[in-house]
Structure formats: C-alpha cells, structure tokens
C-alpha cells in the first residue's frame, strides 16, 4: 500500500495554498540554518553515546498515502526497529508509545525532550514532502490497519508540528483522539492558524512540555 485510494481522496485547500507553502519555505530555511549551527555538537554527542549512525530515517506515509523518507537525529539504539515487538505499547490504537522505552539512548532522551531530534525534518519541509504544520506521518505497520475514517487525516501534508503536538503530544495515548485533532485541524485551517500553532510549538519546546 503506497497511495490512498482515489475514492477516498478529498482535496483540502491547504495542499494548494501558496501562503502555506511560503510559510513552509521560510520556516524550513530558518530551521535548516539552526540545524547547521547545532549539527556538529549533536553529532558528536550521538557518536560518543552509542554505536550507530547520526541520522535515523524511516519510510512514512504522507499526503494521500504517498510514501517518503523522514529524517531525524537518531535517539535510539541502532537496532531499535527490530526490538520494537519486545516493547510494551502503552498507547491505545494504531500508534506506539512507551514512556520509559529502553531503546532510547541517554542523548536521545535529551534530544526528544528538547525536540532537537526533529530538526532534520526541515529538509523534508523544504523539499515539499512535509509541511511545518500538519498531521503526524504514520508508519506502514499503522496504515495497513487504517479504515476510511483514518485515511482522512492524510488529506493534508504531514507536519513537523500540529494539533497533536500543541495539545498534549506524548501525553495523548489514544489514536482516535489524535485522529480527531487532525480532522479538527483540517476544519479550522487557514494560514494564520498555522502561524498560531507554530508559535505555540516554539513556546512548548522552550518549556520542554509533553515530549519523551
């Protein structure tokens, strides 16, 4: 499964908005500039803390179910995906969460708490695969169980941040609640609303709220 059935696609105004794309380009350039400044200290810390690459990449599902490769700073041990089945899922539904996930490294916990692990995704935004604001991009083991209702959340581009992140993030452990927030975003969306969510995200990052 790589694309959403044509019968389930609904054109959302955000996907063709020049204002949203302009915000994404400006925001991604700022994010990439910050990434350039923090890259070497973070890369050194990751390498000193655990064996493995600096970056972690994974295939995710974006707009209309189109696949793309997401990039993050690595926050887990190198074979984390293979170990996933042995970790208890504390979330409900088609999302995986574990507050004390043993796969997360010491540096990884700091990167997650400060959201610094997300900065490589500004490249995904710059290339147009993601947006600054949108839905959390799901993995294959999640979308294979999607119903038509769940697919509606992918009628907008996936985002670095969104309703889920500013309304609880990791504290929200019910997938259906996340879907409801994603659909709420689609209903309320306008370029100004994206800016509101971006500023809320920056505030929460500074407070290190809701992330693990």
């Amino acid at each position: 499964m790589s694309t959403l059935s044509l019968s389930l696609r609904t054109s959302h105004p955000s996907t063709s908005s020049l204002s949203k794309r302009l915000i994404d380009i400006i925001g991604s350039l700022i994010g990439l500039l910050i990434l350039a400044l923090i890259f070497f200290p973070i890369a050194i810390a990751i390498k000193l803390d655990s064996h493995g690459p600096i970056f972690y990449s994974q295939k995710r599902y974006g707009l209309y179910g189109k696949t793309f490769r997401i990039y993050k700073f690595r926050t887990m041990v190198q074979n984390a995906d293979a170990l996933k089945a042995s970790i208890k899922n504390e979330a409900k539904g088609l999302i995986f969460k574990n507050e004390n996930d043993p796969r997360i490294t010491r540096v990884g916990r700091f990167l997650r708490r400060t959201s610094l692990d997300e900065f490589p995704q500004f490249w995904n935004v710059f290339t147009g695969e993601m947006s600054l604001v949108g839905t959390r991009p799901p993995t294959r083991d999640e979308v294979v169980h999607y119903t038509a209702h769940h697919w509606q959340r992918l009628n907008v581009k996936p985002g670095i941040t969104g309703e889920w992140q500013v309304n609880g993030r990791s504290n929200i452990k019910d997938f259906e609640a996340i879907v409801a927030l994603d659909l709420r975003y689609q209903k309320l969306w306008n370029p100004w609303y994206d800016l509101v969510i971006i500023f809320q995200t920056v505030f929460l990052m500074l407070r290190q709220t809701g992330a693990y």
Side-chain angles (χ1 to χ4, degrees):
M1 183 188 306
S2 60
T3 56
L4 176 57
S5 169
L6 289 173
S7 63
L8 296 178
R9 292 187 180 184
T10 301
S11 178
H12 190 272
S14 68
T15 61
S16 58
S17 170
L18 294 178
S19 297
K20 183 176 180 65
R21 184 57 185 151
L22 181 61
I23 293 172
D24 283 347
I25 292 174
I26 294 174
S28 63
L29 288 174
I30 295 173
L32 289 171
L33 177 60
I34 297 173
L35 175 62
L37 297 174
I38 65 177
F39 172 78
F40 285 108
I42 291 178
I44 292 171
I46 291 173
K47 281 295 188 180
L48 291 176
D49 185 47
S50 64
H51 177 73
I54 295 168
F55 293 112
Y56 170 78
S57 69
Q58 185 182 47
K59 186 169 75 172
R60 295 290 184 96
Y61 288 71
L63 182 64
Y64 304 138
K66 182 179 179 180
T67 58
F68 70 101
R69 189 156 289 277
I70 198 172
Y71 295 94
K72 298 183 178 185
F73 282 118
R74 182 174 60 85
T75 61
M76 291 187 172
V77 295
Q78 189 173 7
N79 61 336
D81 288 340
L83 297 173
K84 183 177 179 179
S86 65
I87 308 299
K88 179 182 178 181
N89 186 9
E90 297 175 347
K92 178 182 178 182
L94 305 178
I95 189 173
F96 185 90
K97 288 288 173 185
N98 185 296
E99 185 171 358
N100 297 302
D101 195 325
R103 299 174 298 167
I104 301 175
T105 65
R106 291 173 299 174
V107 169
R109 290 202 179 277
F110 170 77
L111 294 177
R112 288 185 172 212
R113 190 171 65 250
T114 57
S115 298
L116 291 174
D117 63 313
E118 308 281 356
F119 270 78
Q121 291 174 53
F122 283 108
W123 177 252
N124 293 113
V125 175
F126 182 74
T127 60
E129 297 169 320
M130 293 180 65
S131 176
L132 293 178
V133 184
T135 62
R136 171 190 168 275
T139 58
R140 187 183 186 280
D141 60 342
E142 295 168 356
V143 300
V144 292
H145 300 292
Y146 271 19
T147 65
H149 169 66
H150 300 138
W151 278 111
Q152 292 179 46
R153 64 193 299 269
L154 298 184
N155 284 334
V156 298
K157 283 185 179 181
I160 294 180
T161 188
E163 288 276 3
W164 171 60
Q165 287 88 339
V166 299
N167 285 287
R169 197 173 177 180
S170 295
N171 293 324
I172 300 177
K173 298 181 179 180
D174 186 339
F175 176 66
E176 294 302 331
I178 294 173
V179 174
L181 287 171
D182 287 336
L183 298 184
R184 177 178 183 268
Y185 168 73
Q186 293 184 26
K187 182 182 296 185
L188 298 177
W189 177 84
N190 63 63
W192 291 109
Y193 192 54
D194 271 5
L195 291 175
V196 169
I197 291 179
I198 290 169
F199 285 119
Q200 287 178 326
T201 301
V202 172
F203 175 73
L204 292 173
M205 281 180 60
L206 294 175
R207 292 185 59 190
Q208 301 180 17
T209 302
Y212 60 75

